[in-house]
Amino acid sequence: MTGEDPVRRLRGEIESRLAGLVDRDYVLMGLPYYLNIGDILIWEGTRQYLRTLPHRCLNPGYRYREEDRIGPDTLILLQGGGNFGDLWRRIQDERLGILRRHPGNPAVVLPVSCWYDDRELMRRDADELARHPDLTICARDQASHDRLAAHFRNRIRLVPDMAFCIDPGPLRKFNVPGAKDVLYLKRRDKELAADRAPPPPPPPGRLTVSDWPSKERAPFHWRVYRFLLNGGRCARRWRGVWRAADFLVQTSDWFYHRVSRRRLIRQGAAFIGGHGAICTTRLHGAILAVLMGKKVQVVDNLDGKTLAFFKTWLEGADGVELVE
């Protein structure tokens, strides 16, 4: 694998392993309306991949107007990420709810990491999803694939993370030539495995220890989005203003899709690009560094998904090192 471009290689793997799954017009659901830049990168890679296909997206990213666009033959695509199981249960429940409301539609869960602490909950999820007649679940690492194949009775495919479908050219414009500062991207949520996180790397330059900047401090555009959304939700309580309420909710959705999503991607790229050396406890900190052509040290997280992804797709890639 040495010397091979991992971005081109993994994009090729995605294209070959998803071939034939998106065979008709579709809706893309379960989108990340929150401040995790990693999940926004998955969304952007998915969008760029789908644009290469001849089929139409019937809900171009707008969460509040998707249900009425689903016909009996519409394909349902569900956003992937590190959230299949019980660690981030709200997202998994949303995914299950969509499939429950549309039991007759063909559906694809795009590449996910799978983790369950509660084996009984895993059994219940597997039994529910087994009743879906046309469901494919894509696993983004070998460990998740093996876990899903052992316990779930749907079609299972092994597919890399969708963020590798992002065109790296625009991201690399954020690289600062000659940057020497060191970034230790240290997540601050329940996935941090404190016993696996090493001390920050010895700094040849100034050291920054931070989570994604959007997680450290909510950006102004996020506050605008929440203001519009909450205004619409509050207005729905008053008779006679439902048209204004719907307008505010739809405007908030349009604003997030057109403004916040793009700014979060740029913020993440500027964050990674402004440092000369990267050490990360977040998988998408590593993926973004690879997309931007930077060397990166990778630290595993609590459920092992970062290690599993590294061993499946990035072991031996130039510039990517696992810190154990």
Side-chain angles (χ1 to χ4, degrees):
M1 197 182 295
T2 301
E4 186 180 9
D5 178 6
V7 178
R8 182 178 302 174
R9 173 175 58 85
L10 290 178
R11 179 165 190 148
E13 292 281 3
I14 292 168
E15 291 170 349
S16 65
R17 291 167 184 261
L18 288 183
L21 275 184
V22 183
D23 59 357
R24 66 194 76 189
D25 292 348
Y26 59 88
V27 290
L28 178 59
M29 301 176 74
L31 299 174
Y33 284 70
Y34 43 83
L35 289 171
N36 186 338
I37 289 173
D39 285 359
I40 304 299
L41 293 170
I42 296 173
W43 184 9
E44 180 61 20
T46 303
R47 284 166 45 85
Q48 292 192 26
Y49 167 74
L50 291 171
R51 284 205 298 266
T52 68
L53 304 180
H55 309 292
R56 286 190 307 141
C57 181
L58 302 178
N59 68 323
Y62 301 122
R63 174 173 57 173
Y64 295 101
R65 290 176 287 170
E66 55 199 8
E67 296 282 345
D68 60 351
R69 296 168 185 243
I70 300 176
D73 193 46
T74 302
L75 174 64
I76 296 176
L77 300 179
L78 294 164
Q79 161 101 359
N83 46 43
F84 193 103
D86 56 11
L87 190 58
W88 299 102
R89 191 60 194 179
R90 182 187 64 79
I91 298 173
Q92 177 73 344
D93 283 339
E94 179 185 7
R95 183 180 288 128
L96 294 174
I98 292 168
L99 293 172
R100 204 174 290 133
R101 292 193 298 274
H102 305 282
N105 289 81
V108 177
V109 177
L110 293 166
V112 291
S113 295
C114 174
W115 179 264
Y116 284 88
D117 283 314
D118 187 337
R119 294 183 65 84
E120 175 60 23
L121 182 59
M122 178 170 64
R123 185 193 64 78
R124 293 202 302 270
D125 283 359
D127 287 346
E128 177 174 350
L129 292 179
R131 293 193 287 272
H132 196 291
D134 191 2
L135 172 63
T136 300
I137 304 174
C138 300
R140 67 179 183 182
D141 61 73
Q142 190 65 55
S144 293
H145 176 276
D146 294 348
R147 191 171 294 119
L148 287 163
H151 298 283
F152 288 73
R153 299 185 290 282
N154 310 96
R155 293 183 297 272
I156 311 297
R157 292 195 185 189
L158 178 63
V159 184
D161 190 276
M162 295 301 295
F164 279 103
C165 285
I166 296 176
D167 176 7
L171 298 176
R172 293 181 182 184
K173 294 177 182 177
F174 289 92
N175 283 333
V176 175
K180 291 184 170 40
D181 292 353
V182 177
L183 172 63
Y184 184 47
L185 202 173
K186 185 177 182 180
R187 66 187 312 146
R188 301 187 189 278
D189 59 20
K190 60 186 175 183
E191 282 195 41
L192 176 68
D195 59 331
R196 298 179 202 168
R206 187 175 59 186
L207 174 68
T208 299
V209 180
S210 175
D211 203 343
W212 289 121
S214 57
K215 303 282 282 185
E216 297 282 357
R217 185 173 184 272
F220 177 73
H221 59 79
W222 172 259
R223 297 196 292 273
V224 173
Y225 160 69
R226 295 297 301 178
F227 175 80
L228 292 168
L229 176 61
N230 290 334
R233 286 174 171 171
C234 289
R236 282 177 171 168
R237 301 172 186 171
W238 301 90
R239 291 183 180 180
V241 295
W242 62 269
R243 290 185 185 276
D246 282 353
F247 174 78
L248 283 173
V249 170
Q250 291 179 14
T251 300
S252 75
D253 196 57
W254 175 90
F255 182 87
Y256 187 79
H257 181 74
R258 294 291 183 176
V259 178
S260 291
R261 180 183 59 82
R262 295 174 178 178
R263 287 182 177 270
L264 287 167
I265 293 169
R266 291 198 292 268
Q267 186 180 33
F271 185 55
I272 295 293
H275 295 85
I278 311 296
C279 181
T280 176
T281 64
R282 283 192 177 273
L283 174 60
H284 282 88
I287 290 175
L288 183 54
V290 171
L291 286 166
M292 298 179 71
K294 286 185 168 288
K295 293 183 178 180
V296 59
Q297 293 181 314
V298 183
V299 181
D300 198 16
N301 69 323
L302 184 66
D303 59 3
K305 71 181 180 187
T306 305
L307 174 63
F309 190 88
F310 173 86
K311 288 188 172 296
T312 305
W313 304 113
L314 292 175
E315 194 164 30
D318 286 345
V320 185
E321 176 188 357
L322 180 67
V323 178
E324 295 188 270

